[in-house]
Amino acid sequence: MNDNIGASKLHAVIKEIADRCLENRKITGINTGVYNGSAIVISDRLPIPMSMVKGNLKNKLVSGDKVVLLRNDGGQEYYILEITGKPFLINSGEY
């Protein structure tokens, strides 16, 4: 009888831990932000260090640029999808 109670309590604790992990997990998402010269600020207050930002548009940023970012699963890396308000231009011979 005590084994059933113990197993039931253990199951409840494991379920609670799993539920909390899923609630706190940062899944992949789209964010917008503004580059301030040293970081991309999202939600008007959260700076994303450039060490966490990837993409071939990273070296094209100038202060004040508005960007659309893809946040990876876990929230530890961001990829620049677009610099909004800038025309798309392909130079011949450049990839």
Side-chain angles (χ1 to χ4, degrees):
M1 181 85 168
N2 284 338
D3 286 344
N4 287 339
I5 294 172
S8 181
K9 286 183 180 181
L10 178 62
H11 179 266
V13 169
I14 292 171
K15 183 179 180 326
E16 182 178 345
I17 291 169
D19 288 345
R20 286 186 182 180
C21 285
L22 291 174
E23 288 171 8
N24 293 318
R25 185 170 163 234
K26 292 186 179 205
I27 59 171
T28 300
I30 302 289
N31 295 97
T32 58
V34 177
Y35 180 62
N36 68 9
S38 62
I40 296 175
V41 180
I42 60 173
S43 303
D44 293 327
R45 68 185 191 294
L46 180 64
I48 305 299
M50 295 310 289
S51 62
M52 293 175 64
V53 177
K54 307 292 183 214
N56 57 2
L57 295 176
K58 183 177 175 178
N59 60 357
K60 306 282 187 207
L61 290 173
V62 295
S63 189
D65 279 347
K66 295 177 184 173
V67 296
V68 178
L69 302 166
L70 175 68
R71 183 188 65 225
N72 77 346
D73 191 21
Q76 297 299 311
E77 185 175 70
Y78 293 79
Y79 184 84
I80 300 174
L81 297 175
E82 177 183 14
I83 301 173
T84 58
K86 283 192 173 180
F88 180 70
L89 177 66
I90 299 176
N91 295 330
S92 62
E94 193 175 306
Y95 294 97

